[in-house]
Amino acid sequence: MADYPGFIAIETGEDDGLPLAIAWSLPDGRVKQTLIQPDDSWIKEDTNAMGAYSMEELESLGVSPLEVIRELENDHFSATLYTSDNGDDEAALARLFDTYGLDPFVELAPASVLYPSITSSEWHRQRRETFSELGLEPMRPEHELEVMLSMHQRLTEDD
């Protein structure tokens, strides 16, 4: 079985790129995922940007942003990771690293560039169809990864 490219997805809150949950794939197709404990610097007094999560859930079930960075470094140092290109992933990743004054050690690229035989709009159409076929929810990181891995398998079988 061929190695999979690294895919990544980050669920964000309503507050410009507030990272709430993250998932990324490993070369064998396994997925790592976790909720992220919000750093104190991310939270404003009146914040209600936690999306579907309560602050208690994120605090008790999540891991610190630094732990996320360390784990990502162990798996994908100096790698290009591929996203569904929804625009929020880059801002959320930057926020994780900025919290500690670090420069990101991964680059993000749209997953559609992996498949030169189809256009970006065709990739996005197939993505929507795959979500529907698998009964998954867009914007949930683990579901985004499942869809991108499934599409990668299908699109590279044809080559």
Side-chain angles (χ1 to χ4, degrees), residues 64-158:
S64 76
L66 191 56
E67 287 177 69
V68 171
I69 291 170
R70 284 183 181 141
E71 192 70 19
L72 187 59
E73 182 179 34
N74 287 337
D75 293 338
H76 292 295
F77 186 75
S78 288
T80 297
L81 299 177
Y82 298 92
T83 72
S84 63
D85 198 26
N86 67 24
D88 293 335
D89 292 323
E90 191 113 26
L93 193 66
R95 195 162 191 175
L96 280 175
F97 282 88
D98 287 349
T99 301
Y100 302 100
L102 300 171
D103 290 326
F105 49 75
V106 296
E107 285 190 43
L108 300 185
S112 59
V113 302
L114 293 168
Y115 316 104
S117 61
I118 62 171
T119 64
S120 176
S121 58
E122 174 61 17
W123 185 88
H124 284 283
R125 186 190 63 73
Q126 288 188 27
R127 176 180 167 267
R128 284 189 303 275
E129 287 177 2
T130 305
F131 268 107
S132 182
E133 289 165 12
L134 298 176
L136 300 174
E137 292 177 44
M139 306 314 291
R140 293 205 35 207
E142 65 276 16
H143 290 187
E144 289 280 358
L145 271 278
E146 203 173 320
V147 165
M148 286 190 283
L149 288 165
S150 172
M151 287 179 62
H152 181 77
Q153 199 169 21
R154 186 173 64 240
L155 290 169
T156 55
E157 281 174 357
D158 299 342

Side-chain angles (χ1 to χ4, degrees), residues 55-70:
M55 186 61 111
E56 293 74 31
E57 282 178 296
L58 294 174
E59 289 291 340
S60 64
L61 301 175
V63 300
S64 76
L66 191 56
E67 287 177 69
V68 171
I69 291 170
R70 284 183 181 141

